[in-house]
Amino acid sequence: MAVLLVVTGHGELGGTGKRTGWYLPEVAHPWHVFTQAGLSITYASPKGGKTPLDPSSVEAFKDDPICKQFLENKDVMAQLDNTSSLADVKPSDYKAIFFAGGHGTMWDFPDDINLQKVTAAIYEQGGVVSSVCHGPAALVNVKLSDGSYLVNGKKVTGFTNAEENAVKMMELMPFALETRLRERGGEFVEAPVFQELVQVSHRLVTGQNPASATGTAAAVVKVINSS
């Protein structure tokens, strides 16, 4: 069984010239959980090709053993330098899609048509849709075949407005993730700032922040195994 793990291809933080990208533990920790569960992983991004790793996440998690192991895995890092484009992905090959976070997602996830098509297809074929931290930026415009937003009426979490303000990034964001998920009908649930929280709502699995990455991936495995 396979999981499609989607990362951002966007590497600049607004117009600041500062670097962003995908956030290390939000890829490394799920990688560890999925591989331990015997799931194969395909790495993808909206446009495919080389993807940027947020350098601040490397520094913040330099002592994390799983992140170290991940960065030293030349095969995985090569795959992240040559990701599949979502335009070329066959949804029926996957039991789940997992959107890793990092601030870059706020720019290239929400409006990508291929991302929306693949996500809806995986969900409607009985698969799991999952994301962590800023990864739910992928969900804000996904509609199902009946025209409803995927998150509508479902419990959902993600990086909160309080967390965005705590890291002093809100003014740089193109939109507020929590606010947008609420606007789309999601029943947004939040823990205190930077505390772990995972929400499972049918086959939608979301995690609030980097601390939630392992738990989110573990919940995905559980839903896959119970379906």
Side-chain angles (χ1 to χ4, degrees):
M1 290 191 289
V3 174
L4 186 64
L5 198 159
V6 186
V7 297
T8 182
H10 185 91
E12 186 178 342
L13 195 58
T16 63
K18 294 180 181 177
R19 293 171 63 198
T20 186
W22 49 269
Y23 206 75
L24 177 57
E26 296 169 26
V27 180
H29 292 174
W31 160 80
H32 182 72
V33 171
F34 294 147
T35 53
Q36 291 290 106
L39 296 168
S40 62
I41 302 171
T42 298
Y43 297 92
S45 61
K47 304 304 180 192
K50 186 175 176 65
T51 58
L53 169 56
D54 184 334
S56 71
S57 66
V58 178
E59 175 61 26
F61 287 84
K62 62 185 178 183
D63 296 323
D64 180 280
I66 292 172
C67 288
K68 280 184 175 179
Q69 184 184 353
F70 182 82
L71 290 172
E72 290 167 1
N73 188 313
K74 292 180 180 177
D75 179 53
V76 171
M77 296 308 292
Q79 291 177 61
L80 285 158
D81 278 342
N82 188 28
T83 57
S84 300
S85 167
L86 287 172
D88 300 327
V89 162
K90 186 179 177 185
S92 58
D93 288 343
Y94 301 98
K95 288 286 187 182
I97 187 168
F98 183 95
F99 294 99
H103 280 101
T105 62
M106 296 288 282
W107 280 271
D108 69 346
F109 276 11
D111 299 317
D112 189 273
I113 298 299
N114 293 310
L115 181 154
Q116 294 167 23
K117 287 179 180 177
V118 170
T119 305
I122 289 174
Y123 190 79
E124 292 191 321
Q125 73 193 17
V128 181
V129 171
S130 56
S131 58
V132 67
C133 199
H134 288 91
L139 307 179
V140 298
N141 292 322
V142 175
K143 289 184 177 181
L144 302 176
S145 54
D146 65 1
S148 66
Y149 285 106
L150 188 153
V151 299
N152 184 50
K154 298 182 182 72
K155 285 186 166 58
V156 63
T157 191
F159 207 63
T160 66
N161 289 350
E163 288 172 325
E164 206 72 86
N165 285 319
V167 296
K168 297 180 170 56
M169 289 286 218
M170 184 65 88
E171 291 182 2
L172 296 175
M173 294 299 103
F175 61 94
L177 181 57
E178 174 188 332
T179 303
R180 187 65 53 85
L181 288 166
R182 290 181 186 276
E183 289 170 354
R184 297 302 193 236
E187 297 177 12
F188 195 88
V189 183
E190 62 183 297
V193 172
F194 308 131
Q195 299 301 302
E196 180 180 355
L197 179 70
V198 177
Q199 290 295 303
V200 179
S201 190
H202 192 36
R203 287 176 288 104
L204 177 65
V205 180
T206 49
Q208 181 170 318
N209 46 35
S212 310
T214 294
T216 304
V220 171
V221 172
K222 188 175 181 180
V223 175
I224 290 173
N225 289 339
S226 65
S227 61

